[in-house]
Each structure stands twice: as C-alpha cells, then as structure tokens.
Amino acid sequence: MNYWLFKTEPDECSIDDFANAPDTPVVWEGVRNYQARNYLRDDVRVGDQVFIYHSSCKDIGIAGIARVVRAAYPDPSQFDHSSIYFDQKSTTINPRWIAVDLLFVSKFPQLIRLDKLKTLATLIELPLVRKGNRLSVMPVTCAEWRTISALT
DNA sequence: GCCAACGTTGGC
DNA sequence: GCCAACGTTGGC
C-alpha cells in the first residue's frame, strides 16, 4: 500500500465534503499537471491512503484522511464542454487526464498546519514543504506518514 | 492582491 | 531542441 498527499482548495472540495457524505465516493478530477497525472495513472491504487491538504485558503494544512476506492480511469471533466477542466485535445480513445475515486476515512480534530509541517526535520524531503513546490499529487513515505499521523 | 517559482507553449 | 514569453500555483 502507498501513501499520498492530494491538494485541494476547500472552496471546491474540502474534508467536510467527505465527512458530510462518508459513503459517497469523491471523484478526484481536474488534475492538469503531467507529473501528478502520472502518479494517478501509474502508482495510485485501491486501498492507498491519502492526506487531504487544504491550499489557497485561510487555514492551510492537512485536514484529514481519505482512501482510494477506484484506481485510474479517464477524468470525465476533460470531455465536458461546460467544465473549466475541458480539454479540446483530449479524446476518448486517447484521454490525457486521469481521475481516481476517494472515500472518507477521518477528519483530524485539528488541522495540521503547513507552518507546523515546515518545522519538522523528518519532513524536509516531502515535496509539500519544499520551496516553489506546485505538485498537487505527491507520494508520502511510510516514515513521513507516521510522523504526520503522530501530530494528530 | 502581490509576486516568486514553476510548468507550458510556440517561434525559430 | 532551445528558450523567451506567458500562464498558473499557492503562500504570504
């Protein structure tokens, strides 16, 4: 089993959206970065655990945990003309972008703030805390997962 | 809202 | 295939 961190803007999809419908899978669509796409396509598998990270908002940090319930499939939003994620260059035969489905696991009693994560020497390799990082789907090592989990 | 850092595009 | 210009991300 692998561990991951997925970024989301809570205005669009927050940990509360998961928590309010714990039996409804969340379609993780809209990833439009090739490195992140490759992780989704090649390495994210059913049963993997995912930290849900809130970005571009007031309270920045890891808000809870979800798990993967459906592995890579073509991101439906790339074919949807009305979606901001529509991609004219994508075809059903050769889709560019990948989605996975997630299910709620837990919401942390307190958000683990980004500035807290930045203070931990064991997390210096985590792309999230590295300068200029923009990766929205990133691997988390087992040791990093344990370090972060211990903060809750 | 600013802006540094990064990814993508497209002319050559 | 280089690289300047442009667009986007995301913390502050």
Side-chain angles (χ1 to χ4, degrees):
Chain A
M1 186 186 69
N2 290 320
Y3 298 106
W4 304 95
L5 182 146
F6 288 8
K7 290 181 187 172
T8 177
E9 298 188 13
D11 287 348
E12 234 184 285
C13 176
S14 78
I15 195 70
D16 289 323
D17 296 324
F18 281 90
N20 292 337
D23 299 320
T24 305
V26 170
V27 178
W28 205 264
E29 60 186 7
V31 172
R32 294 293 180 271
N33 166 282
Y34 287 104
Q35 194 181 353
R37 188 278 312 268
N38 293 346
Y39 282 129
L40 291 179
R41 186 188 60 196
D42 303 331
D43 299 314
V44 174
R45 288 190 265 275
V46 171
D48 287 359
Q49 301 259 101
V50 181
F51 283 135
I52 301 299
Y53 174 86
H54 289 175
S55 71
S56 296
C57 59
K58 183 167 162 290
D59 297 307
I60 299 164
I62 301 174
I65 298 173
R67 74 174 198 277
V68 180
V69 292
R70 184 181 176 189
Y73 64 99
D75 179 340
S77 68
Q78 70 196 309
F79 309 121
D80 177 0
H81 284 256
S82 68
S83 171
I84 56 166
Y85 299 121
F86 175 71
D87 186 343
Q88 199 158 16
K89 293 177 186 159
S90 201
T91 64
T92 48
I93 292 173
N94 198 8
R96 268 193 182 187
W97 306 113
I98 295 296
V100 300
D101 289 356
L102 302 181
L103 207 56
F104 179 69
V105 172
S106 64
K107 177 183 174 178
F108 296 152
Q110 290 182 323
L111 186 91
I112 303 174
R113 307 189 146 277
L114 177 60
D115 47 12
K116 172 70 179 174
L117 296 171
K118 283 181 171 173
T119 66
L120 300 173
T122 46
L123 298 181
I124 54 168
E125 296 294 325
L126 186 67
L128 183 74
V129 300
R130 301 190 82 95
K131 187 175 181 180
N133 152 74
R134 295 170 62 172
L135 196 58
S136 61
V137 170
M138 72 184 72
V140 174
T141 68
C142 188
E144 288 163 347
W145 184 273
R146 272 189 275 106
T147 295
I148 294 167
S149 298
L151 299 172
T152 60

